Amino acid sequence: MKCRKCTKHAVINMRQHKLALCSFHFLEWIKNQTQKTIERYKMFTPDQKILVAVSGGKDSLALWDVLQQLGYQTGGLYIHLGIQGVGDYSQESQRLTEKFAKEKNLPLHIYNVQQETGSPIEEIAFYNKRGKGKPCAVCGLVKRHTINEIANQFDYDVLVTGHNLDDEVAVLFGNTLNWEVDFLRRQSPVLKAKKGLLPKAKPFCRFYERETAAYALLAGIEYIEEECPFSVGSTSIQQKEILNLLEHQRPGMKLAFYIKFLKNKKSIFQNLDEDGDTNDILYVCPTCGQSTQSEGNCSYCNTIKRTQLKKNK
Ligand code: Q46
Ligand code: ZN
Ligand code: ZN
């Protein structure tokens, strides 16, 4: 198969776009499409400071690479969760993230949960009995808190994450199956700033996972291939498998499902603010100074305090 734009051998055939491209034109296509997505959803502008949440995986490193090539001012944030897994997951993903940042000469903030709080993520989850054996709920809480802390400290304007189309469609599918109206209302490629919280954007939300993987490979990015050990057997992975079967039978199904949802969202949720939560009164946590939805300490500070108290008993 030949590249649509030149006569060279095509390295990827994107059936949903009826588009086959060579390595050079595919890398160029990813960059152009990312720029279009940034503009289409009014994500951010070149004069803003962008904080990229990097995990050491293909999506976040590829996104960081594309944004810096497009000329955006970016800095990365890696959160070391203290997760072991096979081959020391956190240590290895930090190593690869640091290697990438060094090669590209990009600023990287490293936040080590154990060093900052005294406990790795699993221990915090254990002492707070959250998440039925998995530390994911606590992990989300710690990540959100850390991102806000670093963003405030270093004056970042926008947070970007490497969520791809497969991630977004799995979330959409799961929320539809359970009629999670509030979550559906809030699902968007871009979320406006709320009091004390950073605006968020997902510039890769229209790329299939195989496209971001191909980008990382062709751009020579070394990334961690293992997923976090706690993601194994998750509902979202099961749903991704079902969606892959549907996509196989009908190429483009995932993209259409997502794009049509975004197009029809306004009429489905008429009179409701798509960002949600805007009517919630936000308070200031007396310990860390971040926004919280009730008076007194925020959930993060309560969780860390509880961990330290129980651990030292
Ligand atoms: S939440 Fe759970 Fe992920 Fe945290 S513990 Fe791993 S699987 S990394 S996105
Ligand atoms: Zn070509
Ligand atoms: Zn707090």
Side-chain angles (χ1 to χ4, degrees):
M1 193 171 297
K2 290 206 167 142
C3 169
R4 163 94 73 83
K5 306 222 166 155
C6 66
T7 49
K8 283 201 187 127
H9 169 71
V11 291
I12 188 163
N13 180 21
M14 296 172 283
R15 291 206 297 162
Q16 70 283 4
H17 299 303
K18 297 192 177 63
L19 183 64
L21 293 171
C22 69
S23 175
F24 175 82
H25 284 117
F26 174 69
L27 293 174
E28 196 182 68
W29 180 83
I30 289 278
K31 277 177 251 167
N32 292 341
Q33 292 300 314
T34 306
Q35 181 59 30
K36 277 189 188 165
T37 302
I38 293 168
E39 288 168 15
R40 178 181 280 127
Y41 300 110
K42 298 185 178 59
M43 291 182 166
F44 44 80
T45 51
D47 55 320
Q48 290 185 295
K49 254 182 100 181
I50 320 288
L51 181 61
V52 188
V54 274
S55 65
K58 62 183 184 325
D59 299 298
S60 54
L61 289 181
L63 174 61
W64 200 7
D65 190 54
V66 170
L67 292 180
Q68 63 95 19
Q69 289 206 42
L70 288 170
Y72 289 101
Q73 309 169 51
T74 58
L77 169 60
Y78 176 81
I79 303 175
H80 187 297
L81 300 162
I83 293 174
Q84 304 277 307
V86 187
D88 204 340
Y89 174 76
S90 287
Q91 209 51 43
E92 180 60 3
S93 46
Q94 177 173 330
R95 184 186 73 78
L96 293 169
T97 305
E98 283 180 310
K99 180 175 176 272
F100 175 87
K102 203 170 163 211
E103 278 170 10
K104 308 277 173 179
N105 201 17
L106 290 165
L108 172 67
H109 309 275
I110 306 247
Y111 186 97
N112 187 306
V113 175
Q114 168 130 33
Q115 280 167 16
E116 298 292 334
T117 69
S119 302
I121 209 76
E122 281 176 85
E123 195 171 273
I124 303 176
F126 173 78
Y127 285 120
N128 286 275
K129 294 194 174 51
R130 289 181 62 173
K132 290 178 198 146
K134 285 198 177 194
C136 296
V138 163
C139 180
L141 179 74
V142 169
K143 281 183 191 165
R144 277 193 298 280
H145 187 274
T146 309
I147 286 164
N148 278 317
E149 192 179 309
I150 299 291
N152 289 336
Q153 208 179 330
F154 295 93
D155 286 328
Y156 282 98
D157 300 302
V158 186
L159 168 76
V160 299
T161 58
H163 291 97
N164 58 41
L165 181 74
D166 293 61
D167 300 323
E168 290 301 291
V169 171
V171 170
L172 175 58
F173 185 57
N175 286 337
T176 307
L177 285 180
N178 295 307
W179 289 118
E180 294 280 8
V181 178
D182 270 350
F183 290 146
L184 286 168
R185 183 161 56 96
R186 267 177 263 169
Q187 186 170 1
S188 170
V190 61
L191 284 173
K192 284 184 248 157
K194 285 186 281 176
K195 239 192 219 171
L197 299 176
L198 214 56
K200 290 179 199 156
K202 299 168 188 168
F204 272 6
C205 65
R206 293 168 72 116
F207 290 136
Y208 282 74
E209 191 176 349
R210 76 184 274 267
E211 293 161 2
T212 59
Y215 180 91
L217 204 75
L218 296 168
I221 298 170
E222 200 186 341
Y223 60 87
I224 185 147
E225 288 181 31
E226 289 80 42
E227 299 286 341
C228 170
F230 294 106
S231 70
V232 176
S234 68
T235 324
S236 118
I237 289 191
Q238 289 165 6
Q239 284 164 348
K240 278 184 178 174
E241 283 165 8
I242 297 169
L243 288 158
N244 284 343
L245 284 175
L246 295 172
E247 175 76 23
H248 184 71
Q249 286 164 2
R250 244 182 64 209
M253 168 265 154
K254 285 190 216 176
L255 189 60
F257 183 44
Y258 183 60
I259 301 296
K260 284 182 189 168
F261 163 72
L262 294 180
K263 221 172 126 199
N264 291 303
K265 217 177 109 179
K266 276 220 158 69
S267 55
I268 301 171
F269 300 109
Q270 249 168 1
N271 304 325
L272 290 172
D273 189 315
E274 65 173 15
D275 288 341
D277 289 349
T278 43
N279 294 327
D280 293 345
I281 303 160
L282 290 180
Y283 299 88
V284 173
C285 167
T287 306
C288 69
Q290 287 199 25
S291 302
T292 165
Q293 287 178 358
S294 51
E295 270 185 284
N297 276 341
C298 68
S299 323
Y300 172 85
C301 289
N302 280 333
T303 304
I304 301 303
K305 223 178 196 169
R306 203 174 299 128
T307 307
Q308 288 164 348
L309 279 173
K310 289 194 178 173
K311 200 177 162 182
N312 296 328
K313 247 187 192 173

